[in-house]
């Protein structure tokens, strides 16, 4: 008890640096690590290759969209396990409205050659609906988010498969596939990140999100309709998963029921590596973006060095655990104060 | 009472054979950040007696029991069992050294059977190392026969009533065959019949020469079963006497007999119209038929022991737990309040009892903590928070309340309790409440901050705010209130005017 104040004092200056700074340093460290290994092993640069830098972010843009959603969910003290499956369902629905009439076995022959916005909105709407169901279950039946979204994870994957009895949906319109071309997914990811960064920092929605996660009882007493707010947060997370599905189908040129398998875990990993606390109340989109890019950098780096994909997973697992250990450590240090 | 007894006790410590007592506590001191919970406290438990501990909320009884049961360690002083000094660092230690405690909270595992609960960690084993369920059942049966408890040892605890669970707790504590048995308000969950049963059990334990430490708020129980009574007040040991030497008036006076030296800045302010009127308010199973009027400028204090339903009344008025009966009118209009948001819409604010659990957002900063209630009402355009205006309001409020902090973006967990409380009060003042409900507004904060908060409450009343103030601190209630409402076990037992309210009259209504 006597050294409580000491702890507080030593803690205070450390907190002046935003959490993101630490994570950014980790990102730099990983990049430099691969740069050095690149010169040693392959005699080539890792970083100074624009094409590779683009791919680093491009390949995780869709995971990044899910991560933006799940970050907000985790800040409220919840979890979303359904985003990968919701992505697949949204991709299927979007693709089914994006087929060209050249294709004789379209899912909806009467809905071919639709304007570009129709599949986009259909995919997003399906995602938002799934999120709305998650949120309503959590708010009104009081089942834990883990269970509600686990149910949605299984159900949405099943629906995605059932939609075409497992057949992929291909021959999509040029217009629609533009969404997945070149740097467009990266732009969509960064725009979504920007919008939700602003939303969390400067809107009432954001303030209520942090308050709900920081202390749900206090939030209720302060006049926040916590149930309604949770529905909003989960719906937005679903919407982002839907957008992820739209982009994924456009990028692949088809909708496939197996898309986004285990993406929800990568998304959670990106959020956690980015400093979002599973205890709720803490987390930022900037951190999540960096966390996402860390995942992308590791994938690129391992590929660049020609390291086995299996080993990539082994290391990724280690990084995720290390990030959570660091989070727990921060929590415990706080608890002592 | 009797300095003489106290001296006699002291003398015994030095001269007579120390084995005379089962348990001796000597000059024990325990501090928590900002509070001295126990200040040089003594206790002597004779074998074969029931020793009642009495005192108001916060007198230090529970802290002392937790020290004896190994949950807390004393900062100073010593504890002796049968004359031997002991250091108990865990509850397990205490059990092994002969001190068992029956907790107020129930600590049983609902999905295990009665027998498994009682013998947990001490299960009889078969030769192969499996739990010997037959022996487990037989041992329990034997124990229950001895205690005259009629329950099937194989029943799962979740199927038992609260009262029966309490009996299982008691049996479990007795099964350790400890010399000293601590009972912390054991009858609060029991019906009269079971209380009678418990008293029989206590009598037989006494006959076996055990010492029973019995914490209670109920006067009649003390005079029915206690041999010795020790009184505590504000963390201090007041004295010990034989129960037969005391009557309830003397006891109450010992419990409350402090001088009110703290100054309270109570001012007479014009009392206005009734702003809040509560009629026959009920919450099933918690409180019944609460009636009172609260006027503009008035401070209505609410006294009563913890668990008397004070906090529940506040939470019901404020919509945290909507009422199951009765009516609430605000400014003469009957209103239905089902959520805190609705209560806020009627100009109410509630400063909750437990800062940590229901008040603070620990990981957020001062402004984020202060602005939250305001944001659900105002200063938001198209979803965006009017940051500069809100920030200015919060900074001004923080200065007005003299919150000591390096800046508004300091995390609230780095502030002292008093400053945290000021931030929470600021949260509500920003909403300009007409009815301010304060539940333990100065609990666990230092004297300076306390005085500032008292001054602030008086000032608010002067501005016409109607204040409902729940407090366990008698001087605070008496010093600040225009009237004092006293609750006991879910009922209002009286509303006293400032002139007729004193420590004895309030305590009498509170303990009935």
């Amino acid at each position: 008890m006597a050294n409580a104040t000491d702890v507080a004092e030593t803690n205070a200056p450390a907190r002046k640096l935003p959490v993101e700074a630490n994570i950014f340093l980790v990102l730099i460290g990983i990049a430099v690590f691969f740069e050095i290994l690149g010169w040693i092993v392959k005699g080539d640069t890792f970083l100074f290759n624009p094409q590779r830098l683009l791919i680093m972010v491009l390949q995780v843009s869709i995971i990044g969209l899910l991560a933006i959603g799940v970050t907000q969910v985790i800040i409220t003290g919840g979890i979303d396990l359904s985003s990968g499956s919701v992505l697949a369902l949204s991709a299927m629905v979007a693709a089914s409205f994006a087929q060209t009439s050249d294709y004789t076995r379209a899912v909806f022959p009467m809905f071919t050659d639709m304007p570009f916005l129709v599949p986009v909105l259909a995919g997003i709407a399906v995602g938002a609906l799934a999120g709305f169901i998650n949120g309503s279950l959590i708010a009104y039946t009081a089942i834990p988010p883990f269970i509600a979204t686990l149910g949605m994870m299984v159900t949405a994957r099943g629906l995605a498969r059932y939609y075409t009895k497992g057949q992929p949906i291909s021959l999509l319109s040029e217009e629609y596939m533009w969404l997945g071309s070149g740097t467009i997914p990266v732009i969509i990811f960064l725009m979504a990140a920007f919008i939700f960064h602003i939303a969390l920092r400067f809107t009432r929605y954001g303030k209520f999100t942090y308050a709900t996660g920081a202390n749900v009882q206090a939030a209720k007493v302060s006049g926040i309709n916590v149930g309604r707010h949770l529905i909003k947060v989960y719906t937005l997370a679903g919407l982002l998963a839907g957008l992820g599905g739209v982009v994924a189908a456009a990028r692949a040129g088809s909708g496939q029921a197996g898309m986004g398998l285990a993406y929800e875990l990568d998304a959670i990993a990106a959020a956690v590596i980015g400093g979002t606390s599973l205890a709720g109340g803490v987390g930022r989109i900037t951190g999540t973006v960096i966390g996402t890019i860390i995942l992308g950098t590791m994938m690129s780096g391992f590929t660049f060095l020609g390291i086995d994909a299996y080993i990539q997973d082994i290391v990724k697992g280690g990084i995720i655990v290390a990030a959570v250990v660091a989070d727990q450590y921060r929590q415990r240090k706080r608890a002592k104060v | 009472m009797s300095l003489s007894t106290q001296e006699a006790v002291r003398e015994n410590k030095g001269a007579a054979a120390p084995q005379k007592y089962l348990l001796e506590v000597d000059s024990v001191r325990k501090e928590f950040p900002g509070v001295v919970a126990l200040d040089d406290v003594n206790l002597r438990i004779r074998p074969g007696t029931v020793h009642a501990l009495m005192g108001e909320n916060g007198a230090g009884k529970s802290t002392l029991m937790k020290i004896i049961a190994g949950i807390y360690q004393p900062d100073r002083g010593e504890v002796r069992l049968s004359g031997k000094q002991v250091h108990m660092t865990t509850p397990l230690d205490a059990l092994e050294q002969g001190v068992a405690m029956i907790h107020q909270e129930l600590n049983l595992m609902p999905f295990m059977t009665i027998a498994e609960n009682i013998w947990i960690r001490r299960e009889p084993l078969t030769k192969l190392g499996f739990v010997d369920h037959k022996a487990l059942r037989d041992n329990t049966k034997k124990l229950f026969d001895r205690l005259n408890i009629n329950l099937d040892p194989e029943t799962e605890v979740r199927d038992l009533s609260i009262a029966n669970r309490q009996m299982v707790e008691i049996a479990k504590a007795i099964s350790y065959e400890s010399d000293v048995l601590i009972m912390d308000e054991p009858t609060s969950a029991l019906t009269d019949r079971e209380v009678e049963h418990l008293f029989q059990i206590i009598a037989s334990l006494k006959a076996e020469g055990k010492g029973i430490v019995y914490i209670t708020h109920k006067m009649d129980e003390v005079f029915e079963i206690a041999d010795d009574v020790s009184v505590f007040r504000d963390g201090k040991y007041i004295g010990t006497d034989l129960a037969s030497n005391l009557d309830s008036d003397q006891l109450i006076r010992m419990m409350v007999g402090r001088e009110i030296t703290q100054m309270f800045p109570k001012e007479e302010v014009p009392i206005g119209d009734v702003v809040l009127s509560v009629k026959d308010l009920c919450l099933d199973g918690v409180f019944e038929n609460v009636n009172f009027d609260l006027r503009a400028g008035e401070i209505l204090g609410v006294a009563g022991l913890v668990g008397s339903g004070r906090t529940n009344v506040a939470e019901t008025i404020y919509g945290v737990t909507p009422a199951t009966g009765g009516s609430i009118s605000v400014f003469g209009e009957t209103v239905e309040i089902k959520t805190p948001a609705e209560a806020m819409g009627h100009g109410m604010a509630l400063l909750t009892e437990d800062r940590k659990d229901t008040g603070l957002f620990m990981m957020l900063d001062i402004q984020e903590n202060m602005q939250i209630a305001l944001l659900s009402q105002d200063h938001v355009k198209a979803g965006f928070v009017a940051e500069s205006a809100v920030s200015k309001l919060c900074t001004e409020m923080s200065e007005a309340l003299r919150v000591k902090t390096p800046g508004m973006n300091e995390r609230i967990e780095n502030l002292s309790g008093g400053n945290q409380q000021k931030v929470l009060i600021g949260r509500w003042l920003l909403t300009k409440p007409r009815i301010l409900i304060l539940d333990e507004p100065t609990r666990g904060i230092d004297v300076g901050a306390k005085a500032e908060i008292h001054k602030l409450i008086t000032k608010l009343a002067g501005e016409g705010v109607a204040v409902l103030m729940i407090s366990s601190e008698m001087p605070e209630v008496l010093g600040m209130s225009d009237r004092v409402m006293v609750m006991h076990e879910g009922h209002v037992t009286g509303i006293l005017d400032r002139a007729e309210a004193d420590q004895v009259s309030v305590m009498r209504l509170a303990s009935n």
Side-chain angles (χ1 to χ4, degrees):
Chain A
M1 292 300 165
N3 59 8
T5 48
D6 302 355
V7 177
E9 271 162 26
T10 48
N11 261 1
R15 218 177 279 117
K16 292 289 187 281
L17 270 178
V19 195
E20 290 87 340
N22 296 330
I23 310 153
F24 193 68
L25 286 178
V26 172
L27 173 59
I28 301 286
I30 291 173
V32 169
F33 173 75
F34 282 119
E35 180 70 23
I36 294 168
L37 271 187
W39 284 106
I40 295 172
V41 179
K42 300 190 68 178
D44 192 7
T45 176
F46 170 65
L47 284 174
F48 300 95
N49 178 338
Q51 194 61 33
R52 186 176 294 123
L53 287 180
L54 174 63
I55 289 173
M56 257 186 227
V57 187
L58 182 61
Q59 66 190 348
V60 289
S61 292
I62 291 164
I63 288 171
L65 284 171
L66 307 189
I68 295 167
V70 82
T71 299
Q72 301 173 62
V73 167
I74 296 175
I75 291 172
T76 68
I79 193 79
D80 186 358
L81 298 177
S82 69
S83 58
S85 299
V86 170
L87 176 149
L89 179 60
S90 298
M92 295 299 279
V93 172
S96 69
F97 287 101
Q99 288 179 300
T100 59
S101 56
D102 305 344
Y103 194 39
T104 46
R105 285 178 298 145
V107 179
F108 301 121
M110 59 294 204
F111 291 135
T112 51
D113 290 330
M114 301 298 281
F116 156 82
L117 265 181
V118 172
V120 172
L121 292 181
I124 291 177
V126 165
L129 178 64
F132 178 79
I133 294 171
N134 281 337
S136 305
L137 283 171
I138 292 157
Y140 294 120
T141 69
I143 58 174
F146 188 97
I147 302 298
T149 61
L150 179 71
M152 181 56 75
M153 169 181 154
V154 177
T155 303
R157 182 69 66 188
L159 281 171
R161 295 215 168 91
Y162 179 74
Y163 196 61
T164 56
K165 303 286 188 302
Q167 297 300 312
I169 303 172
S170 47
L171 273 179
L172 310 182
S173 70
E174 289 289 320
E175 252 184 319
Y176 175 73
M177 291 205 296
W178 170 79
L179 274 178
S181 63
T183 56
I184 302 298
V186 176
I187 292 170
I188 293 176
F189 165 46
L190 294 179
M191 271 174 51
F194 178 74
I195 290 169
F196 282 98
H197 177 71
I198 298 294
L200 281 184
R201 291 296 296 278
F202 301 110
T203 69
R204 172 154 69 183
Y205 164 81
K207 309 284 179 196
F208 282 11
T209 302
Y210 285 105
T212 302
N215 186 341
V216 66
Q217 289 307 324
K220 278 182 192 157
V221 174
S222 302
I224 298 175
N225 186 332
V226 169
R228 209 166 59 198
H229 191 74
L230 286 178
I231 292 175
K232 273 187 210 166
V233 174
Y234 280 88
T235 303
L236 287 172
L239 184 148
L240 282 160
L243 180 60
V246 168
V247 177
R251 196 166 169 231
S254 67
Q256 294 155 32
M259 276 177 157
L261 207 58
Y263 273 26
E264 63 278 350
L265 301 181
D266 280 340
I268 293 167
V272 169
I273 292 171
T276 306
S277 162
L278 287 168
V282 175
R284 285 188 181 181
I285 299 296
T286 42
T288 297
V289 170
I290 298 170
T292 307
I293 296 175
I294 286 179
L295 290 181
T297 307
M298 291 199 308
M299 279 156 80
S300 285
F302 286 128
T303 312
F304 168 64
L305 294 176
I307 290 173
D308 204 313
Y310 302 130
I311 296 187
Q312 295 186 19
D313 279 348
I314 296 170
V315 174
K316 198 165 83 184
I319 299 265
I320 294 167
V321 172
V324 179
V325 170
D327 173 54
Q328 297 290 356
Y329 178 71
R330 280 199 297 267
Q331 296 289 330
R332 228 171 302 141
K333 223 162 83 179
R334 245 201 305 279
K336 268 189 222 148
V337 174
Chain B
M1 145 143 318
S2 68
L3 264 174
S4 57
T5 328
Q6 218 170 320
E7 272 158 21
V9 168
R10 292 245 165 84
E11 263 164 43
N12 276 331
K13 172 185 127 197
Q19 290 87 335
K20 212 179 142 191
Y21 297 106
L22 282 176
L23 172 75
E24 293 160 280
V25 172
D26 244 352
S27 317
V28 159
R29 184 179 174 84
K30 179 74 184 170
E31 280 182 46
F32 294 110
V35 234
V36 180
L38 290 176
D39 189 2
D40 289 324
V41 161
N42 302 305
L43 190 67
R44 299 277 178 276
I45 307 294
R46 298 184 285 141
T49 61
V50 175
H51 195 123
L53 297 193
M54 307 228 26
E56 291 179 283
N57 300 322
K61 303 166 303 214
S62 289
T63 308
L64 177 59
M65 288 311 101
K66 283 179 178 166
I67 284 176
I68 296 170
I71 298 167
Y72 296 150
Q73 275 66 57
D75 298 336
R76 233 186 23 230
E78 62 177 55
V79 177
R80 286 188 298 274
L81 287 171
S82 307
K84 212 173 76 218
Q85 191 179 345
V86 288
H87 293 282
M88 295 171 296
T89 51
T90 63
L92 197 57
D93 257 5
L95 274 175
E96 278 164 0
Q97 308 206 36
V99 179
M101 177 159 178
I102 302 164
H103 292 269
Q104 237 172 329
E105 316 86 51
L106 299 168
N107 288 319
L108 299 172
M109 282 148 278
F111 289 90
M112 296 174 74
T113 65
I114 293 175
E116 286 167 333
N117 265 288
I118 289 179
W119 304 102
I120 187 137
R121 210 180 50 78
R122 304 174 290 162
E123 296 86 352
L125 299 180
T126 62
K127 276 187 207 116
L128 290 172
F130 293 106
V131 172
D132 184 347
H133 278 100
K134 192 177 171 302
L136 197 62
R137 194 172 49 235
D138 293 346
N139 290 352
T140 312
K141 201 93 205 95
K142 236 179 283 166
L143 178 70
F144 280 6
D145 285 346
R146 178 179 137 209
L147 301 176
N148 218 356
I149 293 175
N150 195 14
L151 290 172
D152 177 4
E154 305 277 273
T155 315
E156 280 188 15
V157 162
R158 66 187 163 127
D159 295 329
L160 297 178
S161 68
I162 297 289
N164 277 332
R165 287 183 204 196
Q166 182 73 61
M167 295 310 282
V168 172
E169 279 275 15
I170 291 165
K172 180 179 172 185
I174 291 170
S175 75
Y176 283 92
E177 306 294 347
S178 312
D179 295 331
V180 178
L181 201 60
I182 303 167
M183 300 189 179
D184 192 355
E185 295 195 55
T187 58
S188 55
L190 302 182
T191 63
D192 288 347
R193 202 164 48 91
E194 289 143 348
V195 172
E196 209 39 59
H197 186 179
L198 174 66
F199 287 176
Q200 283 163 16
I201 293 176
I202 289 176
S204 71
L205 292 170
K206 257 171 74 170
E208 291 170 27
K210 298 190 187 298
I212 291 146
V213 184
Y214 195 94
I215 301 179
T216 184
H217 285 302
K218 298 178 181 164
M219 291 287 169
D220 45 349
E221 283 184 4
V222 172
F223 293 110
E224 185 168 350
I225 62 163
D227 302 290
D228 299 341
V229 183
S230 286
V231 176
F232 293 82
R233 186 202 311 148
D234 301 333
K236 291 194 178 63
Y237 170 70
I238 302 304
T240 304
D241 207 339
L242 294 173
S244 52
N245 288 348
L246 295 166
D247 62 32
S248 70
D249 268 2
Q250 280 172 300
L251 209 45
I252 286 179
R253 240 171 272 128
M254 281 169 70
M255 286 161 64
V256 300
R258 73 172 77 71
E259 293 159 52
I260 301 191
T261 49
Q262 284 139 298
M263 7 158 228
F264 289 92
K266 177 74 193 156
E267 286 168 26
E268 294 302 322
V269 302
I271 304 286
D273 294 335
V274 173
V275 291
L276 172 70
S277 175
V278 171
K279 287 205 174 59
D280 297 324
L281 198 69
C282 300
L283 184 62
D284 278 349
V286 183
F287 61 82
E288 267 175 19
N289 297 331
V290 171
N291 287 288
F292 66 87
D293 285 341
L294 179 62
R295 293 166 175 275
E298 182 182 38
I299 300 174
L300 175 61
V302 185
L305 301 164
V306 170
S308 60
R310 306 172 309 178
T311 295
N312 305 89
V313 169
E315 288 181 346
T316 296
I317 294 171
Y318 189 71
V320 178
T321 47
T324 52
S327 69
I328 299 169
S329 341
V330 179
F331 296 107
E333 224 173 282
T334 304
V335 294
E336 208 170 325
I337 298 174
K338 289 206 212 68
T339 64
E342 287 170 358
M344 285 166 68
H346 293 298
M348 292 189 194
L350 169 66
L351 181 75
T352 54
E353 178 183 23
D354 192 321
R355 254 199 314 281
K356 253 193 191 136
D357 275 6
T358 54
L360 296 169
F361 302 110
M362 277 297 183
M363 52 277 267
L364 305 186
D365 69 26
I366 294 176
Q367 182 174 334
E368 286 167 326
N369 269 281
M370 208 185 248
Q371 70 191 5
I372 197 77
L374 183 65
L375 292 187
S376 57
Q377 297 187 325
D378 201 2
H379 296 281
V380 178
K381 280 212 177 74
F384 280 85
V385 173
E387 186 69 30
S388 61
V390 170
S391 167
K392 186 159 164 275
L393 283 172
C394 290
T395 310
E396 284 169 3
M397 181 59 73
S398 164
E399 280 163 6
L401 298 177
R402 289 197 276 162
V403 176
K404 287 191 203 77
T405 168
M408 292 301 283
N409 51 11
E410 184 69 24
R411 279 210 200 187
I412 198 145
E413 64 186 351
N414 294 339
L415 266 55
S416 71
N419 283 307
Q420 290 177 341
Q421 192 74 338
K422 286 183 191 171
V423 171
L424 291 182
I425 292 175
R427 174 191 294 172
W428 291 116
L429 295 190
L430 285 175
T431 68
K432 301 202 167 60
R434 305 294 304 276
I435 301 165
L436 183 58
I437 307 174
L438 304 169
D439 196 351
E440 303 283 6
T442 63
R443 172 181 284 180
I445 68 180
D446 62 274
V447 183
K450 215 174 216 179
E452 285 183 62
I453 288 174
H454 288 150
K455 214 177 285 172
L456 179 72
I457 296 172
T458 301
K459 184 169 153 261
L460 289 168
E463 289 164 8
V465 177
V467 180
L468 185 71
M469 187 187 72
I470 300 170
S471 175
S472 294
E473 285 184 50
M474 193 74 89
E476 182 171 271
V477 172
L478 297 174
M480 299 290 300
S481 311
D482 294 294
R483 286 185 301 152
V484 180
M485 176 164 93
V486 188
M487 291 193 67
H488 174 72
E489 292 186 348
H491 294 270
V492 173
T493 46
I495 298 183
L496 304 169
D497 279 328
R498 187 171 174 80
E500 52 182 345
D502 59 33
Q503 304 197 54
V504 175
S505 60
V506 169
M507 197 62 199
R508 200 173 277 141
L509 287 170
S511 52
N512 248 8

